[in-house]
């Protein structure tokens, strides 16, 4: 393939278009090309709650788009990043309101057909009607009436949530009571409309729709009439009548918690009426502060537990080790309450990684009819392509961005192929993204990350003069928080999560690749650098170069210093 070809130029433009996919585009008509080597799209079609883990650029958003567009249920996909400064209540309200709005739009389309059928029943039928037709008409009428009830409850619930959204943190409202001296009490709001207390209404009103509607009306009346005025109690001792007013104070959170049952009711009935469930996809969930995440997750998990017949599920996409589910005695777990999906792959099988990345690249625009061999021919040698893959740590988006820069650099140099020196010069451009996202992609002190990066540069790249380390597994587990954050930020890449060493054969290690941005200098590698070809095997299929790598670990003192807040 000619490096100056029009097809390649168009491919570069297409990469630029898709480099920052947005879940807000989940309703777009264009198809999403997701290279699904692990059948993840089908996994997400199952109405379980899922956790999607992957580093920046690993394809979380693309997976959500592919899964959402291929889903016949009622789907909403939400980018949580704009909510990162909101409190838990605001986040829950925004997610719920968007979901119910999506549900409402779906049901309007569904119910429109029922209305037309119902109208035809009474406008277009005359003369003799057989028993079967009469039975069918009763079914149509029943479905129509059911749909009207559902639409009414749904509208009221949305109105209530909008009121809660605008309400203060505490709501003090005036309640008027009148009636005989008995256990039965009628409640009036300050506008005079009589409603029963929600707990009593649940016992006395017949029909599930009326019970839920009564609860919503009670909450709406309370919120709409909240006041801080002084109130008094009036009693007529000579009469059996009791008239009194008093205030009741509710926290905003209490109103919101009460809606879980109502929302589950709506989801269950939608499934009963339309045979469609609710799927919520939450992208970039790691942007929400860790201390806020448990309350948000718990709220939707509670709704999930109250939903039957697969009527609701939610999917969370986040960075590895940037999710906190439990607080205050909660006991949810990845294994028992969610189905995890991991998008990151280690570098232990470099050929598979290469095939995967090339498939993603050529599928960006399949109409160009570019194949993997065309892309491989752009590199001066297979080793140059291998180095380009290593330079990106196997992260799909990083590989796409690097490929764009490599083609541009080669063209500017008037070269017909991509050279190794181009890889070394371009890799530095990826470093800025890592450095600029320390505060956003880590859940430990940014100073700890920067000091750890400094140690990697000074001791591993500097003193050891190498790019691969074997980290004692017992210490890797102890230092898991720091190591996970460094891999999230792509300063470290996992080569193999369990291996041995030639020098300490009875011990187990995790093999890490130091990012190439540490040792690529001025279009070449650092002078005399021991670049470990960790993917190569000897005549006995052993990863000799990997197993002969230096053994190294962060000192405990580094982590202790920051754990003590120094």
């Amino acid at each position: 393939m000619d490096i100056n070809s029009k097809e390649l130029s168009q491919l570069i433009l297409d990469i630029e278009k898709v480099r920052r996919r947005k879940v807000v585009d989940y309703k777009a008509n264009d198809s999403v090309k997701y290279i699904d080597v692990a059948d993840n799209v089908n996994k997400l079609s199952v109405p379980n709650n899922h956790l999607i883990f992957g580093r920046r650029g690993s394809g979380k958003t693309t997976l959500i788009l592919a899964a959402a567009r291929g889903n016949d249920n009622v789907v909403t996909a939400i980018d949580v990043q704009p909510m990162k400064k909101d409190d838990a209540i605001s986040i829950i309200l925004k997610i719920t309101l968007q979901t119910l709005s999506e549900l409402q739009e779906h049901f309007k389309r569904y119910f429109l057909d029922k209305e037309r059928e119902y109208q035809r029943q009474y406008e277009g039928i005359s003369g003799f009607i057989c028993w079967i037709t009469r039975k069918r008409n009763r079914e149509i009428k029943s479905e129509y009436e059911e749909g009207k009830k559902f639409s009414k409850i749904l509208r009221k619930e949305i109105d209530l949530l909008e009121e809660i959204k605008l309400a203060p943190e505490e709501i003090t409202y005036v309640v008027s009571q009148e009636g005989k001296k008995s256990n039965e009490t009628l409640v009036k709001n300050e506008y005079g409309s009589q409603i029963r207390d929600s707990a009593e209404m649940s016992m006395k009103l017949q029909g599930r729709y009326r019970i839920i509607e009564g609860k919503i009306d009670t909450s709406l009346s309370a919120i709409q009439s909240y006041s801080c005025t002084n109130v008094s109690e009036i009693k007529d001792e000579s009469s059996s009548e009791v008239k009194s007013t008093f205030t009741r104070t509710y926290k905003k959170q209490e109103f919101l918690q009460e809606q879980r049952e109502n929302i589950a009711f709506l989801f269950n009935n939608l499934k009963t009426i339309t045979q469609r469930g609710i799927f919520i996809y939450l992208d970039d969930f790691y942007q929400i502060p860790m201390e806020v995440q448990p309350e948000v997750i718990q709220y939707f998990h509670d709704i999930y537990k109250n939903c039957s017949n697969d009527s609701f599920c939610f999917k969370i996409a986040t960075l590895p080790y940037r999710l906190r589910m439990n607080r205050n005695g909660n006991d949810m777990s990845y294994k028992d309450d969610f189905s995890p999906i991991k998008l990151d792959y280690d570098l232990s099988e470099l050929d598979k990684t290469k095939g995967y990345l090339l498939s993603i690249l050529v599928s960006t625009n399949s109409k160009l009819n570019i194949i993997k061999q065309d892309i491989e021919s752009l590199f001066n040698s297979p080793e140059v392509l291998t180095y380009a893959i290593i330079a990106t740590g196997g992260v799909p988006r990083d590989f796409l961005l690097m490929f764009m820069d490599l083609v541009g650099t080669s063209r500017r140099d008037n070269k017909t192929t991509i050279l190794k020196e181009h890889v070394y010069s371009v890799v530095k451009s990826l470093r800025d993204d890592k450095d600029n996202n320390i505060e956003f992609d880590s859940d430990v002190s940014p100073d700890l990350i920067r000091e750890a990066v400094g140690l990697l540069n000074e001791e591993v790249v500097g003193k050891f003069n190498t790019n691969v380390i074997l980290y004692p597994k017992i210490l890797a587990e102890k230092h898991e928080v720091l190591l996970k954050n460094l891999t999230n930020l792509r300063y470290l890449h996992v080569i193999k999560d369990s291996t041995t060493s030639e020098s300490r054969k009875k011990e187990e290690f995790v093999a890490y690749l130091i990012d190439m941005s540490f040792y690529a200098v001025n279009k070449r590698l650092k002078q005399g650098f021991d670049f470990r070809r960790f993917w190569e095997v000897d005549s006995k299929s052993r990863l000799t170069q990997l197993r002969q790598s230096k053994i190294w670990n962060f000192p405990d003192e580094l982590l202790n210093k920051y754990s003590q807040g120094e």
Side-chain angles (χ1 to χ4, degrees), residues 126-143:
S126 60
F128 176 76
I129 302 175
C130 69
W131 178 85
I132 296 177
T133 304
R134 289 199 303 272
K135 182 180 179 183
R136 173 60 182 150
N137 290 341
R138 287 196 297 270
E139 291 174 355
I140 293 171
K141 183 176 181 180
S142 176
E143 290 173 356

Side-chain angles (χ1 to χ4, degrees), residues 400-417:
L400 294 179
L401 298 183
M402 172 168 268
F403 179 77
M404 289 172 56
D405 289 344
L406 288 173
V407 171
T409 302
S410 180
R411 286 174 171 177
R412 286 192 297 272
D413 287 352
N414 293 317
K415 301 296 184 180
T416 58
T417 58

Side-chain angles (χ1 to χ4, degrees), residues 432-459:
D432 292 338
D433 184 57
K434 308 176 202 296
D435 293 342
N436 292 334
N437 284 294
I438 288 177
E439 283 82 1
F440 304 110
D441 290 1
S442 62
D443 63 335
V444 295
S445 165
D447 291 334
L448 169 58
I449 298 295
R450 293 188 180 97
E451 190 167 345
V453 167
L455 282 173
L456 289 173
N457 189 57
E458 179 183 346
E459 297 193 7

